[in-house]
Amino acid sequence: MLQRVAQWLWVHLTGVVLAFTLISSLFFLTRAPSLKVGPVRWALLYAISGGQSVFRYPIHIVSLKTENRYLRSQLLLKVINETELRELRAENERLREMIAFTRDRDLELLAARVLSHDVEIPPTSIVIDVGTSAGVAPFDAVVSARGLVGRCDESPTWNRSIVRLLTDPGIRTSVMVQNPARPMGILRWNGAEMHIDNIAQELPVAVGETILTSGLGGIFPPGLHVGVVDSVREDPHALFKDVIMKPSARLYRLEEVFVVRVHRDSASIGQQEGHNAVGR
């Protein structure tokens, strides 16, 4: 029996001590102050106040952890909101460029959003969210607010179209240099640079001059901005200049584009395809 009582006291030692302290403190607090009891009473009061601090400490820790989690969540929400705001500002700027582009062009344009790029570096094709249901046809030119991007593939679907970019080695584009001599050539991607072939040595071409589509071949309408001359390499023993062009469109990070809808006949398409095959 005594062993059980001892075990119970050991297990509940903290509670017993606390109860004893409270009872003792109440006893001394209700007694009249005296020189002998006063110091003991103040010692007990000090012990009780210290015990209260000890019991308040875990509660304070829990409160701090809760507040910390709340502040972290608020900080995360702020970061997310700022990121979304930056994205909206960037999209707004792109849309402003697109609106300005449509105002300056007498073309039938269909706005489209880029859904994906291929895995090539640089990308050679993109997928856009419009197709035959919106009037997209094979070989329709695709532009951004900055310049020519490429053309639609031969087989658009109901609500999707694959666009072959200027960086596709199979794409050939008839272009001209915007200067009084109007030199014309064939634009192609060689895997590293944009080359303009077939410009005769005697024709003037200067760095920084604008490159436009010529309209020959029936695929790309004339006058679309393509890029600027980046360098001109001349070989006195060659028949043609080696002209390198820097594209105006950001082919690496396209997000919104326009499909240029042009009514063309099958003869012009066949002519352009034959022209492309010769240039390959």
Side-chain angles (χ1 to χ4, degrees):
M1 183 67 180
L2 292 176
Q3 185 177 2
R4 290 183 179 178
V5 172
Q7 289 178 350
W8 185 88
L9 289 174
W10 177 256
V11 172
H12 300 84
L13 179 61
T14 304
V16 171
V17 172
L18 181 60
F20 175 76
T21 304
L22 290 174
I23 294 172
S24 301
S25 62
L26 290 174
F27 173 76
F28 284 109
L29 287 173
T30 55
R31 305 292 295 176
S34 65
L35 294 176
K36 294 181 179 180
V37 178
V40 177
R41 181 176 61 182
W42 287 112
L44 288 173
L45 289 174
Y46 181 79
I48 291 173
S49 63
Q52 291 175 347
S53 300
V54 170
F55 283 106
R56 282 199 302 265
Y57 182 74
I59 299 175
H60 184 61
I61 291 296
V62 172
S63 176
L64 287 177
K65 288 183 177 180
T66 303
E67 184 179 4
N68 185 266
R69 284 195 296 268
Y70 173 76
L71 292 176
R72 284 177 179 272
S73 65
Q74 292 300 308
L75 179 61
L76 179 60
L77 287 175
K78 184 177 180 180
V79 171
I80 293 174
N81 290 335
E82 289 182 352
T83 302
E84 291 179 348
L85 181 60
R86 285 195 296 268
E87 283 296 310
L88 288 174
R89 286 175 177 171
E91 183 179 13
N92 183 52
E93 186 64 27
R94 294 194 305 270
L95 293 177
R96 285 177 180 272
E97 290 181 353
M98 294 177 74
I99 291 173
F101 179 82
T102 58
R103 288 174 180 171
D104 298 337
R105 301 292 187 278
D106 186 18
L107 297 171
E108 186 179 357
L109 300 174
L110 175 65
R113 187 176 295 274
V114 177
L115 299 178
S116 65
H117 297 73
D118 66 5
V119 296
E120 299 291 333
I121 301 176
T124 59
S125 67
I126 58 175
V127 178
I128 57 177
D129 65 347
V130 293
T132 55
S133 62
V136 177
F139 308 107
D140 277 348
V142 178
V143 298
S144 71
R146 295 176 177 269
L148 183 65
V149 169
R151 66 168 175 79
C152 290
D153 202 0
E154 292 84 349
S155 54
T157 63
W158 177 254
N159 59 354
R160 297 287 188 273
S161 298
I162 297 176
V163 178
R164 298 174 65 185
L165 303 179
L166 296 177
T167 47
D168 186 324
I171 294 292
R172 301 290 188 272
T173 307
S174 179
V175 297
M176 67 177 178
V177 183
Q178 193 179 38
N179 66 26
R182 315 291 278 181
M184 292 189 183
I186 303 300
L187 178 68
R188 64 178 177 85
W189 172 258
N190 72 346
E193 296 174 314
M194 288 281 185
H195 283 256
I196 302 178
D197 299 329
N198 301 342
I199 295 182
Q201 287 284 1
E202 63 271 14
L203 294 177
V205 178
V207 173
E209 289 184 323
T210 301
I211 305 297
L212 305 174
T213 54
S214 68
L216 298 180
I219 295 293
F220 300 108
L224 295 179
H225 198 283
V226 184
V228 296
V229 177
D230 190 53
S231 66
V232 180
R233 303 167 186 169
E234 298 186 12
D235 183 355
H237 303 290
L239 294 176
F240 303 106
K241 296 178 183 290
D242 187 8
V243 180
I244 308 300
M245 187 203 75
K246 180 180 179 181
S248 297
R250 297 174 179 174
L251 302 177
Y252 292 86
R253 48 177 182 172
L254 295 168
E255 296 186 58
E256 296 92 13
V257 295
F258 290 107
V259 178
V260 183
R261 295 194 290 188
V262 178
H263 300 287
R264 61 176 69 87
D265 54 27
S266 58
S268 63
I269 294 176
Q271 180 184 0
Q272 176 68 15
E273 287 300 290
H275 187 61
N276 288 349
V278 171
R280 293 179 186 177

